[in-house]
Amino acid sequence: LPLLIIFLCALSVGVFFAYGQFESKKTVVVQMLYNFGLVEKATEVAEKALIIKPDSYELLFLHGSITIDSDYKFRTLEEAIKSLEKAHQIFPDSLMINYYLSVAYSKNNDKEKALKYAHGAIDGRLDEPFVNNYIGSLYLKYDMPKEAVEAYKRAVSKSSDDAVLLNNLSFLLLELNESLPQALELAKRSVELLPNQIFNKDTLAW
């Protein structure tokens, strides 16, 4: 099995590199290892590659994001932040680098920086549902419901078939006792798209 995984990784690297999808083979190796669940090995390969290419924002991003996605199983949150901050210095406009920095600082209970990088992710991308959904959740975490409503509304306007997103906005409007007819319609639509789920049925029953 290990030999098969190595072979598949090598094959994937060859295919992706041949088509110019990634800047370096090492970046693809790290991504493939992570995709196969070899998180510690992916982290080690990224760190060794960064000795040679310390300014590769792709490798720095992968090192930080893999650490966060794996719940700091092999490296610390502080190490993830360090890698992501360096990646951000090189590529400050990256949506995903800003997003992961926001997530990292949110996990580190740093509200100011979590919001700063969330705004960096959304800057110029107000039509991106994923970012608006995330920042809506972040606003809720920091007890900023009005801002959360606006973020969720932007997300719904671009992703009207996302049942979870529709339910989130409906639930929040109900909690704020605002736009109740709209909240009802959103809840109904969520149940239509994703029936027999407790989370949206409870919202509709509210």
Side-chain angles (χ1 to χ4, degrees):
L1 183 60
L3 289 175
L4 176 62
I5 291 175
I6 292 171
F7 170 75
L8 290 172
C9 285
L11 180 63
S12 299
V13 168
V15 171
F16 282 110
F17 189 70
Y19 282 90
Q21 297 297 313
F22 294 90
E23 191 174 286
S24 71
K25 288 183 180 180
K26 285 295 184 184
T27 303
V28 185
V29 171
V30 173
Q31 187 66 65
M32 290 298 105
L33 288 168
Y34 178 68
N35 289 346
F36 280 112
L38 303 174
V39 178
E40 186 173 20
K41 186 64 178 176
T43 303
E44 290 171 356
V45 171
E47 289 172 344
K48 288 178 181 177
L50 282 166
I51 294 172
I52 301 169
K53 295 185 67 177
D55 294 326
S56 169
Y57 74 85
E58 291 180 332
L59 288 167
L60 288 163
F61 167 72
L62 285 172
H63 184 262
S65 61
I66 286 172
T67 298
I68 290 171
D69 286 341
S70 60
D71 292 325
Y72 337 118
K73 189 174 182 181
F74 300 105
R75 298 296 182 270
T76 65
L77 177 59
E78 288 70 25
E79 288 174 301
I81 289 174
K82 183 178 179 180
S83 291
L84 291 166
E85 284 282 15
K86 189 170 182 180
H88 186 267
Q89 291 172 8
I90 301 165
F91 191 6
D93 294 331
S94 167
L95 184 157
M96 294 308 294
I97 292 172
N98 277 285
Y99 165 73
Y100 269 96
L101 270 170
S102 177
V103 171
Y105 279 115
S106 177
K107 290 178 179 290
N108 206 35
N109 297 315
D110 189 329
K111 175 183 175 180
E112 182 178 348
K113 288 187 177 180
L115 288 171
K116 169 189 170 182
Y117 287 110
H119 293 149
I122 205 171
D123 186 30
R125 306 182 184 94
L126 290 176
D127 60 345
E128 176 56 60
F130 155 70
V131 181
N132 280 298
N133 189 27
Y134 167 71
I135 200 169
S137 301
L138 196 63
Y139 282 139
L140 283 180
K141 175 179 179 178
Y142 294 122
D143 195 25
M144 302 168 69
K146 299 289 186 182
E147 291 85 350
V149 166
E150 293 307 311
Y152 281 138
K153 282 182 176 179
R154 288 195 300 268
V156 166
S157 71
K158 301 296 181 180
S159 186
S160 58
D161 290 333
D162 186 324
V164 175
L165 189 53
L166 292 167
N167 180 76
N168 288 349
L169 178 54
S170 175
F171 184 85
L172 184 53
L173 289 172
L174 288 168
E175 275 207 325
L176 295 173
N177 198 31
E178 291 183 3
S179 305
L180 298 183
Q182 182 188 7
L184 177 59
E185 291 304 314
L186 290 166
K188 285 180 179 178
R189 179 63 177 153
S190 177
V191 171
E192 288 173 4
L193 290 167
L194 204 60
N196 303 317
Q197 301 296 316
I198 294 175
F199 75 92
N200 54 12
K201 288 178 72 176
D202 282 351
T203 303
L204 182 59
W206 190 349

